[in-house]
PDB file of all heavy atoms in Angstrom:
ATOM      1  N   VAL O 188      -8.316  76.052 -36.288  1.00 91.00           N
ATOM      2  CA  VAL O 188      -7.391  76.071 -35.175  1.00 91.00           C
ATOM      3  C   VAL O 188      -7.930  75.297 -33.986  1.00 91.00           C
ATOM      4  O   VAL O 188      -7.158  74.837 -33.133  1.00 91.00           O
ATOM      5  CB  VAL O 188      -7.081  77.533 -34.790  1.00 91.00           C
ATOM      6  CG1 VAL O 188      -8.299  78.203 -34.154  1.00 91.00           C
ATOM      7  CG2 VAL O 188      -5.871  77.624 -33.878  1.00 91.00           C
ATOM      8  N   GLU O 189      -9.258  75.118 -33.902  1.00 91.00           N
ATOM      9  CA  GLU O 189      -9.820  74.306 -32.821  1.00 91.00           C
ATOM     10  C   GLU O 189      -9.590  72.817 -33.039  1.00 91.00           C
ATOM     11  O   GLU O 189      -9.720  72.019 -32.108  1.00 91.00           O
ATOM     12  CB  GLU O 189     -11.325  74.558 -32.693  1.00 91.00           C
ATOM     13  CG  GLU O 189     -11.695  75.923 -32.138  1.00 91.00           C
ATOM     14  CD  GLU O 189     -11.691  76.980 -33.224  1.00 91.00           C
ATOM     15  OE1 GLU O 189     -11.522  76.590 -34.412  1.00 91.00           O
ATOM     16  OE2 GLU O 189     -11.840  78.181 -32.902  1.00 91.00           O
ATOM     17  N   GLN O 190      -9.231  72.433 -34.285  1.00 92.00           N
ATOM     18  CA  GLN O 190      -9.032  71.022 -34.592  1.00 92.00           C
ATOM     19  C   GLN O 190      -7.567  70.652 -34.732  1.00 92.00           C
ATOM     20  O   GLN O 190      -7.145  69.593 -34.254  1.00 92.00           O
ATOM     21  CB  GLN O 190      -9.788  70.665 -35.887  1.00 92.00           C
ATOM     22  CG  GLN O 190     -11.298  70.878 -35.756  1.00 92.00           C
ATOM     23  CD  GLN O 190     -11.999  70.781 -37.099  1.00 92.00           C
ATOM     24  OE1 GLN O 190     -11.396  71.028 -38.130  1.00 92.00           O
ATOM     25  NE2 GLN O 190     -13.270  70.430 -37.074  1.00 92.00           N
ATOM     26  N   ILE O 191      -6.811  71.493 -35.411  1.00 93.00           N
ATOM     27  CA  ILE O 191      -5.371  71.235 -35.600  1.00 93.00           C
ATOM     28  C   ILE O 191      -4.614  72.519 -35.289  1.00 93.00           C
ATOM     29  O   ILE O 191      -4.940  73.595 -35.794  1.00 93.00           O
ATOM     30  CB  ILE O 191      -5.057  70.775 -37.039  1.00 93.00           C
ATOM     31  CG1 ILE O 191      -5.604  69.360 -37.280  1.00 93.00           C
ATOM     32  CG2 ILE O 191      -3.554  70.791 -37.285  1.00 93.00           C
ATOM     33  CD1 ILE O 191      -5.290  68.831 -38.664  1.00 93.00           C
ATOM     34  N   THR O 192      -3.578  72.386 -34.458  1.00 93.00           N
ATOM     35  CA  THR O 192      -2.692  73.500 -34.126  1.00 93.00           C
ATOM     36  C   THR O 192      -1.307  73.195 -34.647  1.00 93.00           C
ATOM     37  O   THR O 192      -0.690  72.200 -34.258  1.00 93.00           O
ATOM     38  CB  THR O 192      -2.639  73.717 -32.601  1.00 93.00           C
ATOM     39  OG1 THR O 192      -3.961  73.952 -32.098  1.00 93.00           O
ATOM     40  CG2 THR O 192      -1.763  74.916 -32.275  1.00 93.00           C
ATOM     41  N   MET O 193      -0.825  74.061 -35.561  1.00 94.00           N
ATOM     42  CA  MET O 193       0.507  73.892 -36.122  1.00 94.00           C
ATOM     43  C   MET O 193       1.521  74.596 -35.214  1.00 94.00           C
ATOM     44  O   MET O 193       1.339  75.770 -34.857  1.00 94.00           O
ATOM     45  CB  MET O 193       0.577  74.479 -37.530  1.00 94.00           C
ATOM     46  CG  MET O 193      -0.489  73.966 -38.481  1.00 94.00           C
ATOM     47  SD  MET O 193      -0.352  72.210 -38.833  1.00 94.00           S
ATOM     48  CE  MET O 193       1.178  72.169 -39.744  1.00 94.00           C
ATOM     49  N   VAL O 194       2.589  73.898 -34.856  1.00 94.00           N
ATOM     50  CA  VAL O 194       3.598  74.428 -33.946  1.00 94.00           C
ATOM     51  C   VAL O 194       4.972  74.180 -34.566  1.00 94.00           C
ATOM     52  O   VAL O 194       5.244  73.075 -35.068  1.00 94.00           O
ATOM     53  CB  VAL O 194       3.516  73.777 -32.560  1.00 94.00           C
ATOM     54  CG1 VAL O 194       4.580  74.369 -31.625  1.00 94.00           C
ATOM     55  CG2 VAL O 194       2.130  73.949 -31.960  1.00 94.00           C
ATOM     56  N   ALA O 195       5.828  75.198 -34.544  1.00 94.00           N
ATOM     57  CA  ALA O 195       7.198  75.044 -35.034  1.00 94.00           C
ATOM     58  C   ALA O 195       8.016  74.258 -34.022  1.00 94.00           C
ATOM     59  O   ALA O 195       8.069  74.620 -32.836  1.00 94.00           O
ATOM     60  CB  ALA O 195       7.830  76.406 -35.284  1.00 94.00           C
ATOM     61  N   ALA O 196       8.640  73.191 -34.468  1.00 93.00           N
ATOM     62  CA  ALA O 196       9.403  72.345 -33.563  1.00 93.00           C
ATOM     63  C   ALA O 196      10.731  72.972 -33.177  1.00 93.00           C
ATOM     64  O   ALA O 196      11.261  72.702 -32.090  1.00 93.00           O
ATOM     65  CB  ALA O 196       9.642  70.982 -34.208  1.00 93.00           C
ATOM     66  N   SER O 197      11.304  73.834 -34.026  1.00 92.00           N
ATOM     67  CA  SER O 197      12.596  74.468 -33.752  1.00 92.00           C
ATOM     68  C   SER O 197      12.465  75.964 -33.967  1.00 92.00           C
ATOM     69  O   SER O 197      11.663  76.426 -34.780  1.00 92.00           O
ATOM     70  CB  SER O 197      13.686  73.902 -34.662  1.00 92.00           C
ATOM     71  OG  SER O 197      13.795  72.495 -34.519  1.00 92.00           O
ATOM     72  N   ASN O 198      13.281  76.715 -33.243  1.00 93.00           N
ATOM     73  CA  ASN O 198      13.245  78.174 -33.381  1.00 93.00           C
ATOM     74  C   ASN O 198      14.079  78.618 -34.581  1.00 93.00           C
ATOM     75  O   ASN O 198      14.675  77.807 -35.296  1.00 93.00           O
ATOM     76  CB  ASN O 198      13.722  78.850 -32.099  1.00 93.00           C
ATOM     77  CG  ASN O 198      15.107  78.386 -31.684  1.00 93.00           C
ATOM     78  OD1 ASN O 198      15.887  77.933 -32.516  1.00 93.00           O
ATOM     79  ND2 ASN O 198      15.411  78.494 -30.401  1.00 93.00           N
ATOM     80  N   SER O 199      14.140  79.925 -34.784  1.00 94.00           N
ATOM     81  CA  SER O 199      14.790  80.474 -35.986  1.00 94.00           C
ATOM     82  C   SER O 199      16.281  80.178 -36.025  1.00 94.00           C
ATOM     83  O   SER O 199      16.826  79.820 -37.079  1.00 94.00           O
ATOM     84  CB  SER O 199      14.552  81.989 -36.038  1.00 94.00           C
ATOM     85  OG  SER O 199      13.179  82.294 -36.068  1.00 94.00           O
ATOM     86  N   SER O 200      16.962  80.331 -34.894  1.00 94.00           N
ATOM     87  CA  SER O 200      18.410  80.122 -34.879  1.00 94.00           C
ATOM     88  C   SER O 200      18.779  78.668 -35.178  1.00 94.00           C
ATOM     89  O   SER O 200      19.747  78.398 -35.915  1.00 94.00           O
ATOM     90  CB  SER O 200      18.982  80.531 -33.520  1.00 94.00           C
ATOM     91  OG  SER O 200      18.375  79.786 -32.474  1.00 94.00           O
ATOM     92  N   VAL O 201      18.001  77.724 -34.628  1.00 94.00           N
ATOM     93  CA  VAL O 201      18.286  76.305 -34.872  1.00 94.00           C
ATOM     94  C   VAL O 201      18.053  75.958 -36.341  1.00 94.00           C
ATOM     95  O   VAL O 201      18.861  75.273 -36.983  1.00 94.00           O
ATOM     96  CB  VAL O 201      17.428  75.421 -33.951  1.00 94.00           C
ATOM     97  CG1 VAL O 201      17.611  73.945 -34.303  1.00 94.00           C
ATOM     98  CG2 VAL O 201      17.790  75.659 -32.499  1.00 94.00           C
ATOM     99  N   VAL O 202      16.930  76.429 -36.891  1.00 94.00           N
ATOM    100  CA  VAL O 202      16.616  76.137 -38.293  1.00 94.00           C
ATOM    101  C   VAL O 202      17.661  76.767 -39.213  1.00 94.00           C
ATOM    102  O   VAL O 202      18.100  76.146 -40.193  1.00 94.00           O
ATOM    103  CB  VAL O 202      15.197  76.648 -38.633  1.00 94.00           C
ATOM    104  CG1 VAL O 202      14.924  76.511 -40.122  1.00 94.00           C
ATOM    105  CG2 VAL O 202      14.166  75.887 -37.832  1.00 94.00           C
ATOM    106  N   THR O 203      18.094  77.991 -38.898  1.00 94.00           N
ATOM    107  CA  THR O 203      19.116  78.649 -39.722  1.00 94.00           C
ATOM    108  C   THR O 203      20.432  77.892 -39.696  1.00 94.00           C
ATOM    109  O   THR O 203      21.069  77.684 -40.737  1.00 94.00           O
ATOM    110  CB  THR O 203      19.322  80.093 -39.241  1.00 94.00           C
ATOM    111  OG1 THR O 203      18.085  80.815 -39.313  1.00 94.00           O
ATOM    112  CG2 THR O 203      20.360  80.800 -40.091  1.00 94.00           C
ATOM    113  N   GLN O 204      20.846  77.457 -38.521  1.00 93.00           N
ATOM    114  CA  GLN O 204      22.109  76.743 -38.408  1.00 93.00           C
ATOM    115  C   GLN O 204      22.059  75.395 -39.117  1.00 93.00           C
ATOM    116  O   GLN O 204      22.999  75.015 -39.834  1.00 93.00           O
ATOM    117  CB  GLN O 204      22.469  76.548 -36.923  1.00 93.00           C
ATOM    118  CG  GLN O 204      23.845  75.964 -36.691  1.00 93.00           C
ATOM    119  CD  GLN O 204      24.950  76.842 -37.240  1.00 93.00           C
ATOM    120  OE1 GLN O 204      24.900  78.063 -37.121  1.00 93.00           O
ATOM    121  NE2 GLN O 204      25.958  76.223 -37.861  1.00 93.00           N
ATOM    122  N   LEU O 205      20.947  74.651 -38.943  1.00 92.00           N
ATOM    123  CA  LEU O 205      20.810  73.363 -39.624  1.00 92.00           C
ATOM    124  C   LEU O 205      20.779  73.538 -41.138  1.00 92.00           C
ATOM    125  O   LEU O 205      21.358  72.743 -41.881  1.00 92.00           O
ATOM    126  CB  LEU O 205      19.543  72.651 -39.145  1.00 92.00           C
ATOM    127  CG  LEU O 205      19.553  72.131 -37.705  1.00 92.00           C
ATOM    128  CD1 LEU O 205      18.192  71.554 -37.333  1.00 92.00           C
ATOM    129  CD2 LEU O 205      20.640  71.077 -37.527  1.00 92.00           C
ATOM    130  N   SER O 206      20.107  74.573 -41.591  1.00 91.00           N
ATOM    131  CA  SER O 206      20.031  74.810 -43.029  1.00 91.00           C
ATOM    132  C   SER O 206      21.394  75.191 -43.597  1.00 91.00           C
ATOM    133  O   SER O 206      21.766  74.758 -44.689  1.00 91.00           O
ATOM    134  CB  SER O 206      19.003  75.902 -43.326  1.00 91.00           C
ATOM    135  OG  SER O 206      17.708  75.518 -42.903  1.00 91.00           O
TER     136      SER O 206
END
Side-chain angles (χ1 to χ4, degrees):
V188 70
E189 289 83 7
Q190 298 169 334
I191 290 182
T192 303
M193 307 295 293
V194 181
S197 303
N198 56 24
S199 301
S200 59
V201 174
V202 173
T203 302
Q204 187 61 40
L205 290 175
S206 298

